[in-house]
Short mmCIF file of all heavy atoms in Angstrom, two decimals:
data_model
loop_
_atom_site.label_atom_id
_atom_site.label_comp_id
_atom_site.label_asym_id
_atom_site.label_seq_id
_atom_site.Cartn_x
_atom_site.Cartn_y
_atom_site.Cartn_z
N LEU A 12 1.58 17.50 -11.87
CA LEU A 12 0.31 17.88 -12.51
C LEU A 12 -0.53 18.73 -11.56
O LEU A 12 -1.12 19.74 -11.94
CB LEU A 12 -0.44 16.60 -12.87
CG LEU A 12 -1.34 16.61 -14.10
CD1 LEU A 12 -0.59 17.10 -15.32
CD2 LEU A 12 -1.88 15.20 -14.35
N CYS A 20 -5.43 27.30 -11.89
CA CYS A 20 -6.69 27.64 -11.20
C CYS A 20 -6.55 28.96 -10.44
O CYS A 20 -7.46 29.78 -10.45
CB CYS A 20 -7.10 26.52 -10.24
SG CYS A 20 -7.65 25.04 -11.11
N LEU A 45 -10.69 24.60 -19.40
CA LEU A 45 -10.54 23.26 -18.83
C LEU A 45 -10.53 22.19 -19.92
O LEU A 45 -9.91 21.15 -19.77
CB LEU A 45 -11.67 22.99 -17.82
CG LEU A 45 -11.63 23.87 -16.57
CD1 LEU A 45 -12.92 23.74 -15.78
CD2 LEU A 45 -10.43 23.51 -15.69
N LYS A 47 -9.28 22.79 -22.97
CA LYS A 47 -7.95 22.94 -23.60
C LYS A 47 -6.85 22.26 -22.79
O LYS A 47 -5.94 21.66 -23.35
CB LYS A 47 -7.60 24.43 -23.73
CG LYS A 47 -8.18 25.07 -24.95
CD LYS A 47 -7.39 26.34 -25.32
CE LYS A 47 -8.20 27.16 -26.31
NZ LYS A 47 -8.95 28.26 -25.68
N GLU A 75 -8.45 21.30 -6.67
CA GLU A 75 -7.90 22.64 -6.95
C GLU A 75 -8.94 23.50 -7.66
O GLU A 75 -9.06 24.70 -7.39
CB GLU A 75 -6.63 22.52 -7.82
CG GLU A 75 -5.52 21.70 -7.19
CD GLU A 75 -5.06 22.23 -5.83
OE1 GLU A 75 -5.08 23.47 -5.66
OE2 GLU A 75 -4.72 21.42 -4.96
N VAL A 162 -28.38 26.33 -20.42
CA VAL A 162 -27.30 26.62 -21.37
C VAL A 162 -26.80 25.41 -22.15
O VAL A 162 -25.98 25.56 -23.07
CB VAL A 162 -26.07 27.24 -20.64
CG1 VAL A 162 -26.39 28.58 -20.02
CG2 VAL A 162 -25.53 26.28 -19.57
N GLY A 221 -35.09 6.88 -32.77
CA GLY A 221 -34.72 5.67 -32.03
C GLY A 221 -33.25 5.61 -31.69
O GLY A 221 -32.86 5.10 -30.63
N GLY A 231 -32.03 1.83 -17.90
CA GLY A 231 -31.61 3.17 -17.47
C GLY A 231 -31.31 3.29 -15.99
O GLY A 231 -30.38 4.00 -15.59
N PHE A 232 -32.10 2.62 -15.15
CA PHE A 232 -31.90 2.74 -13.71
C PHE A 232 -30.50 2.25 -13.32
O PHE A 232 -29.78 2.87 -12.54
CB PHE A 232 -32.98 1.96 -12.94
CG PHE A 232 -32.86 2.09 -11.46
CD1 PHE A 232 -33.34 3.21 -10.80
CD2 PHE A 232 -32.24 1.09 -10.70
CE1 PHE A 232 -33.21 3.35 -9.42
CE2 PHE A 232 -32.10 1.21 -9.33
CZ PHE A 232 -32.60 2.34 -8.69
N LEU A 251 -14.70 18.89 -0.78
CA LEU A 251 -13.31 18.92 -0.31
C LEU A 251 -12.63 20.23 -0.70
O LEU A 251 -11.96 20.86 0.13
CB LEU A 251 -12.54 17.73 -0.92
CG LEU A 251 -11.07 17.62 -0.54
CD1 LEU A 251 -10.90 17.27 0.93
CD2 LEU A 251 -10.36 16.56 -1.41
N LEU A 258 -10.26 26.37 5.07
CA LEU A 258 -9.11 26.21 5.98
C LEU A 258 -8.04 27.25 5.68
O LEU A 258 -7.53 27.92 6.59
CB LEU A 258 -8.55 24.78 5.84
CG LEU A 258 -7.25 24.49 6.58
CD1 LEU A 258 -7.41 24.64 8.08
CD2 LEU A 258 -6.74 23.08 6.26
N ILE A 262 -6.79 30.23 8.21
CA ILE A 262 -5.42 30.34 8.73
C ILE A 262 -4.86 31.74 8.42
O ILE A 262 -4.32 32.41 9.31
CB ILE A 262 -4.51 29.24 8.13
CG1 ILE A 262 -4.94 27.86 8.64
CG2 ILE A 262 -3.04 29.50 8.46
CD1 ILE A 262 -4.26 26.69 7.94
N ILE A 285 -9.41 25.27 13.73
CA ILE A 285 -8.50 25.00 12.62
C ILE A 285 -8.01 23.55 12.66
O ILE A 285 -7.93 22.87 11.63
CB ILE A 285 -7.34 26.03 12.61
CG1 ILE A 285 -7.93 27.38 12.14
CG2 ILE A 285 -6.20 25.60 11.71
CD1 ILE A 285 -7.00 28.54 12.14
N LYS A 346 -20.66 40.35 1.83
CA LYS A 346 -20.39 40.04 0.42
C LYS A 346 -18.96 40.49 0.10
O LYS A 346 -18.50 41.51 0.63
CB LYS A 346 -21.36 40.78 -0.49
CG LYS A 346 -22.79 40.33 -0.36
CD LYS A 346 -23.03 39.08 -1.18
CE LYS A 346 -24.42 38.55 -0.89
NZ LYS A 346 -24.60 37.15 -1.28
#
Side-chain angles (χ1 to χ4, degrees):
L12 211 53
C20 290
L45 294 168
K47 276 202 195 98
E75 301 302 326
V162 296
F232 182 80
L251 179 68
L258 172 62
I262 293 171
I285 288 176
K346 293 278 173 199

